[in-house]
Amino acid sequence: MGATLAILFSINTVFIIIFSTAGVAGNPTFSGSLLIACEATILILSMRHIKLGYLDYLFGGFVLAAAISYAMNGLTAGFKETAIFVVSVACCPVCRFVCITDRVKTAFGATSLYIAIIGACATAYAIFEQWPVYEGKPIVFGNDAAGTHFLMALGFFVIAVTTQERTPKQATLILVLVLVTSAIFAAALVRFTFAAMLATLGLSWLLNIGKQRAFTSMIAASIVLGAGCGILIRFDKIPVLIGFMTERTAHRSEPMPPPPTSEKLVSPAKTAPSCAMEVNMRNSFAERKALWQDSLYLIPRAGLFGLGLDGFMKDSCMKGFPPHNSVFQAFIEFGWMGGIALSAMIAIAFFRLIPTARFDETERFIICMLTFAVLISLAHGRLSRDFVLFSMLGIAITYIDHVTAAVRSSGPKDFQ
C-alpha cells in the first residue's frame, strides 16, 4: 500500500524515468494503464465498509459541477485530457478507504526516498555533463522540470520521517541524505518546492513535541544549508534569479487581438490582462503573475458552472498555459459551485484535523501531506494532474470520520 501510494504521488517522476530509459517521448496507453493499476491496487488492498459524511457530499458537489460544466460547454479539453482528469479526480474516492499505519508510512517514505535518490543522481550527472548550464535548469531525462518532480518525492520522504520516531543512527543518515539531495536540486534551480517543503516543516514543528520537534528543526536546517550550498554552486545564476524576482512586466502600447472567447465573457472587447502584457516567457515569476491576473479577471465571469476543463486557455493570451493554481482553475472551469466545493473540502479538512494532530502521528502525517499538496497545487497545480491533492483529500476525509466517531463514543476529553 505504502509503495503504491508513493508511486502514484510521484507518477510524473516515474513516467520521466521510464520513458527516458525506453527512449520514447511518451505512451498514453502505458501511462493510463499504470495510473489505473495504481488506483486499482490501492482500492483492492483497502476496500472496506465506510459511511458517507458531509465531506463526501461536498466532493459529490465538485463532481456534479464538473459534469454540468461538461454538459454545458462540451468536450473543451479533448478526450485525452478529460480522461486524465477523470483518473485524477478518482483518486479521492479510491483513497477514501485507505488506512495509514506505521508500515504503510514507512514503505511510503522509503519508496519516495528511492525515487528522490535516483533523481538526485541523474540531476547531478546532468549538471556536470551540461556545465555551464546556460539555460539555467539542466535537462534531466530529457525534461527541464524533472528536478521539481524529484524534489517533490524528497518532500514526501521528509514528511514521512518527521512524523515517526527514529534512532540516532537513522536520524544522522537521513540528515546527510537530505543535505546532499537538497544541494543537488538547488543547483538545478528548483525554487518553489523548497519553499513548500519548509512551510510544511514549519507546521510539522508546531504539531510535533519533544525529540520529534528537534528532529524536524534539524531536517529544516539541512534543507536550508543544502539549498544554500547548491545555489552557491550556480553562483553565476544568482543575479538572474534576483532579476526574475524583481523584473516588472511591461505593457503593450496596443493589446494583442483577443483570443476566441467563451460566450460567458461579458464582452469580446474586454480581454484578459495578459493580452496587454509583454511577458518574459523565460521568467516563471512573470508567467505566474500574468496567469493569476487572468485568473482573477475570469473568476467573476465564469458563472455558476464555469468555462469547461481547460477553458482558461481559450480566454487567456498565455497560450498553452493552465492557471498554475488548482483552486483558481476550479472556479474558472467548473464555476463558482466547483470552486467553492473544492475550497470548502480543503478548508474543512484543515479545520477538523489540526486540533487533534498534536496527539496522533498518523493525523500529523496526513495534515502535513495535505499541506504540502495544497501548497504545490497553488503554484504548479493543474486539476487533471492533481493526483496527490485528490488522494490526500480522500485520506483526510477518512480520518475526519475516525476523529468524529472517536469523539462521539468517548467524549472530547477522553479522546484527547
Side-chain angles (χ1 to χ4, degrees), residues 57 105 119 140 170 178 186 198 215 266 268-269 294 298 317 324 338 348 355 394 399 405:
Y57 297 119
K105 202 190 311 183
V140 186
Q170 290 174 330
V178 170
L198 291 173
F215 181 58
V266 174
D294 283 358
L298 290 170
C317 284
H324 282 312
I348 292 172
Y399 279 82

Side-chain angles (χ1 to χ4, degrees), residues 142-165:
N143 193 310
D144 66 349
T148 299
H149 296 302
F150 288 126
L151 183 57
M152 285 178 62
L154 181 65
F156 300 147
F157 165 72
V158 164
I159 294 169
V161 297
T162 54
T163 54
Q164 282 182 306
E165 292 187 4

Side-chain angles (χ1 to χ4, degrees), residues 111-336:
T111 306
S112 298
L113 177 62
Y114 296 146
I115 294 170
I117 289 175
I118 292 172
C121 293
T123 302
Y125 177 76
I127 293 172
F128 174 78
E129 186 183 43
Q130 298 167 31
W131 190 270
V133 187
Y134 294 108
E135 295 299 321
K137 292 184 178 181
I139 306 300
V140 186
F141 291 125
N143 193 310
D144 66 349
T148 299
H149 296 302
F150 288 126
L151 183 57
M152 285 178 62
L154 181 65
F156 300 147
F157 165 72
V158 164
I159 294 169
V161 297
T162 54
T163 54
Q164 282 182 306
E165 292 187 4
R166 298 287 168 179
T167 65
K169 185 176 180 180
Q170 290 174 330
T172 302
L173 178 60
I174 289 167
L175 290 172
V176 172
L177 286 171
V178 170
L179 177 69
V180 173
T181 51
S182 294
I184 293 171
F185 293 130
L189 300 186
V190 180
R191 298 183 294 270
F192 179 80
T193 307
F194 274 114
M197 286 173 62
L198 291 173
T200 304
L201 285 175
L203 176 62
S204 180
W205 184 88
L206 289 172
L207 297 175
N208 274 313
I209 55 175
K211 292 181 180 179
Q212 283 298 94
R213 176 174 283 189
F215 181 58
T216 301
S217 299
M218 289 188 285
I219 287 282
S222 294
I223 292 172
V224 171
L225 180 59
C229 293
I231 292 172
L232 288 176
I233 293 171
R234 302 292 304 282
F235 65 90
D236 58 315
K237 296 299 178 184
I238 294 176
V240 177
L241 292 176
I242 295 173
F244 281 171
M245 289 187 286
T246 59
E247 180 182 34
R248 293 189 177 184
T249 304
H251 289 267
R252 302 176 188 275
S253 55
E254 294 184 4
M256 291 175 62
T261 55
S262 164
E263 294 178 359
K264 290 184 178 294
L265 291 183
V266 174
S267 167
K270 294 182 178 180
T271 57
S274 64
C275 298
M277 299 168 67
E278 292 279 2
V279 181
N280 179 0
M281 301 307 290
R282 294 180 61 249
N283 183 351
S284 60
F285 293 103
E287 290 174 357
R288 279 171 174 76
K289 180 180 178 181
L291 290 168
W292 293 344
Q293 286 187 27
D294 283 358
S295 297
L296 294 174
Y297 170 82
L298 290 170
I299 286 173
R301 296 164 171 78
L304 195 59
F305 299 110
L307 311 176
L309 185 64
D310 286 350
F312 173 88
M313 297 184 187
K314 298 180 180 180
D315 288 313
S316 170
C317 284
M318 297 288 289
K319 287 305 172 188
F321 286 89
H324 282 312
N325 184 305
S326 295
V327 173
F328 284 170
Q329 186 181 3
F331 273 101
I332 295 165
E333 297 178 359
F334 302 135
W336 305 328

Side-chain angles (χ1 to χ4, degrees), residues 8 11 35-36 39 59 62-63 80-95 309 326 329 377 382-394:
L8 177 63
I11 196 70
L35 277 168
I36 293 171
E39 292 189 351
F59 173 73
F62 173 77
V63 173
K80 177 183 174 182
E81 196 64 30
T82 301
I84 298 173
F85 170 72
V86 171
V87 174
S88 175
V89 173
C91 287
C92 184
V94 165
C95 291
L309 185 64
S326 295
Q329 186 181 3
S377 294
R382 186 174 184 179
L383 289 172
S384 53
R385 306 290 193 279
D386 262 332
F387 307 109
V388 182
L389 177 62
F390 285 114
S391 296
M392 288 313 305
L393 283 172

